[in-house]
Amino acid sequence: IHLTFHTSLLRPYVHSDKVLFPGRDLDTVYGNALDGEQIVELIDDHHWRQHKLHFHFIWSDGDQSWESASKADRLTQLDEYLELQGMKTPEELPKRNAQG
């Protein structure tokens, strides 16, 4: 490790440009909690119920719930789950029915 600091590499901070990057709500992208709400830590399963996709959420407080795909569509946790499943889109996920 070199303890040399190169000031020539510093750049001024530029806030994200909403014109160039519309719809980038970082709290949604990273699942950050607002006003004490719980955040999704992990999506670990899915099933189809009446031709509609649901995901199993594990929340930051340890609670677990099944939620509709619309609640997961902008979460990075969904991207991670799809990657682990070898899929690019939620529609490609295997059509497993809900148990019980």
Side-chain angles (χ1 to χ4, degrees):
I1 298 175
H2 299 282
L3 300 177
T4 306
F5 184 78
H6 296 280
T7 59
S8 63
L9 298 176
L10 290 175
R11 300 285 183 267
Y13 172 76
V14 178
H15 191 69
S16 182
D17 188 335
K18 293 190 185 284
V19 174
L20 290 175
F21 306 107
R24 281 207 177 168
D25 176 11
L26 294 181
D27 288 326
T28 301
V29 172
Y30 292 109
N32 295 332
L34 299 173
D35 299 327
E37 294 178 3
Q38 295 301 314
I39 61 170
V40 176
E41 290 286 330
L42 178 70
I43 296 175
D44 71 343
D45 200 4
H46 76 277
H47 67 238
W48 294 83
R49 181 178 290 150
Q50 298 175 352
H51 306 288
K52 293 183 182 177
L53 181 59
H54 291 79
F55 291 102
H56 187 249
F57 285 11
I58 298 179
W59 297 90
S60 58
D61 66 355
D63 283 346
Q64 300 180 24
S65 64
W66 287 96
E67 304 290 341
S68 66
S70 64
K71 292 192 177 183
D73 65 355
R74 296 185 64 190
L75 295 176
T76 57
Q77 292 85 346
L78 176 59
D79 297 333
E80 294 166 359
Y81 181 74
L82 291 173
E83 184 178 343
L84 288 171
Q85 298 298 315
M87 305 295 165
K88 294 189 183 294
T89 66
E91 293 77 20
E92 296 175 7
L93 288 167
K95 306 282 195 257
R96 296 192 320 247
N97 293 323
Q99 300 297 320

